[in-house]
Amino acid sequence: MSGDLLQTKLYMSRPRPALVPRPRLIARLNQGLHGKLTLISAPAGFGKTTLVTEWIAGGERPSAWLSLDEGDNDPARFLQYLVAALRTVAPEVDKAAAVALQSPQLPPAQAILTPLINEIAAVPAPFILVLDDYHEVESPPVDELLTFLLEHMPPPLHLVITTREDPTLPLARLRARAQLTELRAADLRFTVEETAVFLNQILGLNLSASAVAALEARTEGWIAGLQLASLSLQGHQAGTADFIDSFTGSHRFVLDYLIEEVLQQQPGDVQAFLLKTAVLNRLTGPLCDAVTGDDNGQDMLESLERANLFLVSLDNERRWYRYHHLFADLLRQQLHQSAAEDDITALHVRASEWLEANGRELEAFQHAAAANDVARAARLIEGQGLPLYFRGEAVPVRQWFESLPEAEFEARPSLWVMYASVLTLTGRLHDTIEEVLQSAETALHDAPHDAETNDWLGRIAALRAMLAVTVNQVETIITQSRRALELLRPDNTPMRTTTTWALGYAYQIQGNRAA
């Protein structure tokens, strides 16, 4: 499975060469190492990730890093990445979890985490695990996994979570036991002194003490707001006082205003690059070239990084980047306001084509879905021999199916079968899955009964066998498994493997050792 994991999710962003020293916060983070969890919870733009990378870079403990996104709502995918992150500092901790994750149905959290925790406990030196952007995860099963880990935390491990929202974890209990260190927006906001260092020493604005104090008051020490203000101030040096006086409003409205100011001050080619590449969650030079149609993607990315234009490095080789989340949201808003829908669709299609050609099938699928290219998205879901929903990507695939109108399913009966497969893997109700399977059978009834149609019918039987496993209906398991093995294509290895496992399970219940 490791070949399917996006390695840049495991890379810590490199600390910027010039940072505002924050010894008071570093000291609190160091003191927190005696407990189980450090929680850094604040709205966007308060420097959460920057603080953690600065702390880790200046510390002695090795650290594992995992940047989370919406796809990590799937417990299987989350666990795969969690184990991969742990392996970067402790290669020996994956053996038990790897066996559990290969099971056709994900075992309970305790069954997976107990041997993993035991392996972590044997690691000789203490280390840190950082889960960055945990607000992207809104999954009770993932919360349960982390809760079990926290309750049975092995001594070598200290967990750090950065998030925009408090997670659904036993924070009160950890707080009462002095096992929790918390940094909030009030802790992270720049003081007047830090604001002066940031604006004058690092950004070179040379503002007066009164101007610094006024800007700090206007932004309430909000770091992203200060950075945005500084970009606008570079074009308003003559009227600094007037600009600061007019710098008011909520974060959202101020940010909208400043993004327009910043974008309008960029050269035309930079504006075009920013807007076109805003469709991407992660950027690298060749991918940007494929999307924009130009050949200067890498130079542009390095130029944006030098200009501090909200670009975050994801590795140490300056190959992969992402935009600051808030900046990306606003760029996409500007793109949809300024470009035709067909042009935006074309950007997603070009991104999908490049990502597929470079082995990034999940991201290729996401862009195909954004382009509303149903045929391409369905083909990418099926994958090259192993469907995406068998690789821990069931949740984003299920969400896409749920967004499709019924007419698309009627036009492509195979979509019903794939949808039922995803529902099975995500633990949906039996009645719902059987209803989908019946719709698939009805749609396939009038189709030519060639090898392809028979394979889809075999998948339906295989899914019914798997559903019967969950309620120990032995005769149904055997009947549907045998039908599936008769109909499935010889090269449909994933479904044949699943079906054979189900059949063996039924024989085991019967005590039929010979079979």
Side-chain angles (χ1 to χ4, degrees), residues 89-111:
V89 293
E92 67 272 25
V93 303
D94 75 317
K95 298 181 179 64
V99 173
L101 288 172
Q102 291 172 1
S103 173
Q105 288 191 324
L106 195 66
Q110 183 173 349

Side-chain angles (χ1 to χ4, degrees), residues 402-422:
E402 291 171 346
S403 73
L404 292 179
E406 189 167 344
E408 292 289 356
F409 289 96
E410 293 172 352
R412 297 179 176 85
S414 59
L415 293 177
W416 286 116
V417 186
M418 285 188 276
Y419 185 28
S421 298
V422 174

